[in-house]
Amino acid sequence: EMHLVQSGAEVKKPGESLKISCKGSGYRFTDYWIAWVRQMPGKGLEWMGIVYPDDSDTRYSPSFRGQVTVSADKSVNTAYLQWSSLKASDTAIYFCARVEQYWHMRSPLDYWGQGTLVTVSS
Amino acid sequence: SYDLTQPPSVSVSPGQTAIIACSGDNLGDKYVSWYQQKPGQSPVLVMYEDYKRPSGIPERFSGSNSGNTATLTISGTQSMDEADYYCQAWDSGTAPQVAFGGGTKLTVL
């Protein structure tokens, strides 16, 4: 059975760094892209970026480029989302999701992780 | 960026048909997916490539896409269908981008 398991909730202070993870199992991890999606409190879904674990090819939403780093380590079937300096406005739930094909522009985000709540507060 | 517009809310009585619309410029030329999100849960894919249902999604869910509007239709709506629904399409450019609609809160009265 296919799973994406994300790391646990985090409470951080402004200016701190953070790296959250998303571990895939039950499928060939290197055959699919992993997307990251933000959901701010009471708001909708926002696409942040995507990574292909096989070669670490990475693409970003213009809204998030330079604000976060998306990466992957295929040796441990895990994708990552990281911040170098958090802001209070980064408080949100972050989801990872699997995407079969990126360049064909037709694949859905077919399986989602359980989400990681990141709270940034002084 | 590519904008997808959804009504903030839709209400329906149990057993009736709920129609949730998603509009975007020439949306019919793109493939649309739909996601259901219940409170405190992750989104779940309920429709992809406009009208295809993933395994495990009830037949009462159907989809279409033409012109500038895609629709998710729930026939015989049940109380368990009460949730937020998001449409999604890919926006082409220098590199493909995922676009989400703002979401529609479906209330089953």
Side-chain angles (χ1 to χ4, degrees):
Chain A
E1 188 180 356
M2 185 267 159
H3 288 289
L4 289 174
V5 178
Q6 298 186 229
S7 49
E10 301 274 2
V11 179
K12 293 288 191 180
K13 290 181 167 49
E16 293 186 331
S17 63
L18 176 65
K19 191 174 189 178
I20 63 175
S21 65
C22 169
K23 184 175 178 63
S25 63
Y27 73 101
R28 188 184 295 272
F29 191 68
T30 50
D31 282 353
Y32 293 79
W33 296 72
I34 295 291
W36 287 94
V37 176
R38 182 176 79 174
Q39 187 167 41
M40 299 179 77
K43 302 298 184 183
L45 305 175
E46 300 173 271
W47 182 67
M48 303 176 71
I50 195 167
V51 60
Y52 191 56
D54 192 41
D55 61 6
S56 291
D57 187 8
T58 306
R59 309 287 163 163
Y60 292 93
S61 161
S63 300
F64 290 93
R65 185 176 293 116
Q67 308 305 307
V68 297
T69 301
V70 172
S71 62
D73 183 344
K74 63 183 179 181
S75 69
V76 289
N77 285 4
T78 302
Y80 303 96
L81 176 65
Q82 68 182 82
W83 297 258
S84 58
S85 181
L86 286 160
K87 302 183 282 288
S89 58
D90 292 318
T91 294
I93 298 173
Y94 294 87
F95 294 101
C96 64
R98 193 182 77 164
V99 178
E100 183 175 7
Q101 294 178 345
Y102 170 66
W103 293 104
H104 293 192
M105 294 189 291
R106 66 192 296 165
S107 294
L109 286 66
D110 61 356
Y111 287 94
W112 294 62
Q114 84 275 20
T116 295
L117 173 62
V118 174
T119 303
V120 184
S121 174
S122 55
Chain B
S1 64
Y2 186 73
D3 292 328
L4 292 172
T5 301
Q6 297 181 237
S9 63
V10 169
S11 297
V12 65
S13 299
Q16 298 304 303
T17 297
I19 299 174
I20 301 173
C22 172
S23 63
D25 191 35
N26 294 317
L27 184 57
D29 293 337
K30 304 178 185 296
Y31 289 102
V32 175
S33 298
W34 291 89
Y35 304 89
Q36 175 194 71
Q37 187 181 31
K38 296 181 179 179
Q41 298 184 18
S42 304
V44 172
L45 178 68
V46 296
M47 200 67 57
Y48 68 101
E49 292 184 12
D50 299 338
Y51 61 87
K52 296 179 179 179
R53 276 182 293 106
S55 173
I57 301 302
E59 289 185 11
R60 63 179 181 273
F61 287 83
S62 63
S64 65
N65 183 21
S66 179
N68 294 321
T69 304
T71 59
L72 177 70
T73 301
I74 310 172
S75 305
T77 307
Q78 300 182 11
S79 58
M80 69 174 66
D81 300 328
E82 186 164 290
D84 293 326
Y85 290 84
Y86 296 90
C87 61
Q88 175 257 313
W90 287 89
D91 179 27
S92 60
T94 53
Q97 303 280 318
V98 169
F100 286 106
T104 297
K105 169 66 177 175
L106 176 66
T107 301
V108 182
L109 301 160

